[in-house]
Amino acid sequence: MKILIILIILLALVINLFATLVEDEEKDVFPTYGSLRGANRFLAQQSRGLLKCNKNPRFCRVKGSTGPNCCKKKCVNVKTDKQNCGLCGKKCKNQEICCKGKCVNPLADKRNCGGCNNRCKKGNSCVYGMCSYA
């Protein structure tokens, strides 16, 4: 009987720990450490704790941020983010990637063959993400 109670308590602790980790991943917050150059004094005084970019968009411009733009409480780069390509909420199709804020197919685009800014030479085509495939 004691073993059953101990197992139940351990299971409850594991579930609680997992739920806390999932909640932390879902929150899009940016830690307030590091340089806050350009942020006002109020933000600079927030030396501890976590702040969301939807309330303080300048946090997306702090060094180490995933991008300078705030979309749905997340810092992103709309020039490269497949879920927010060019502007918040504009999703690229499955086979497309985001290059300079435009959705492109790297398997067939001569200007972005195999990846962003990988141009094929004049007269060559892009097939399967390779220039001059044959």
Side-chain angles (χ1 to χ4, degrees):
M1 187 67 172
K2 289 182 181 182
I3 294 175
L4 181 62
I5 292 172
I6 291 172
L7 286 175
I8 291 172
I9 292 172
L10 285 174
L11 183 61
L13 288 172
V14 168
I15 291 171
N16 188 22
L17 177 63
F18 180 75
T20 303
L21 291 174
V22 170
E23 283 178 15
D24 288 344
E25 288 178 1
E26 289 175 355
K27 292 179 187 175
D28 182 36
V29 292
F30 197 81
T32 60
Y33 60 85
S35 171
L36 290 174
R37 191 168 68 200
N40 65 29
R41 283 186 4 197
F42 172 75
L43 295 176
Q45 290 172 355
Q46 300 280 334
S47 61
R48 57 190 169 158
L50 302 173
L51 299 173
K52 297 178 181 179
C53 77
N54 65 326
K55 294 183 181 182
N56 300 298
R58 288 186 178 182
F59 282 111
C60 292
R61 293 186 178 94
V62 174
K63 184 179 180 181
S65 171
T66 55
N69 310 100
C70 184
C71 294
K72 294 185 180 181
K73 301 180 184 180
K74 290 187 176 187
C75 292
V76 298
N77 186 343
V78 294
K79 291 183 178 181
T80 58
D81 186 34
K82 188 175 177 173
Q83 300 299 315
N84 301 285
C85 189
L87 49 101
C88 293
K90 182 183 175 198
K91 295 181 181 181
C92 294
K93 294 178 184 173
N94 225 8
Q95 73 278 9
E96 294 179 330
I97 60 174
C98 185
C99 295
K100 295 182 181 178
K102 293 184 181 179
C103 293
V104 298
N105 184 346
L107 300 176
D109 189 325
K110 290 170 73 172
R111 293 183 186 141
N112 301 287
C113 190
C116 294
N117 303 318
N118 188 23
R119 286 182 172 256
C120 292
K121 292 180 182 177
K122 193 171 184 175
N124 292 342
S125 61
C126 180
V127 181
Y128 301 118
M130 294 178 275
C131 296
S132 302
Y133 179 79

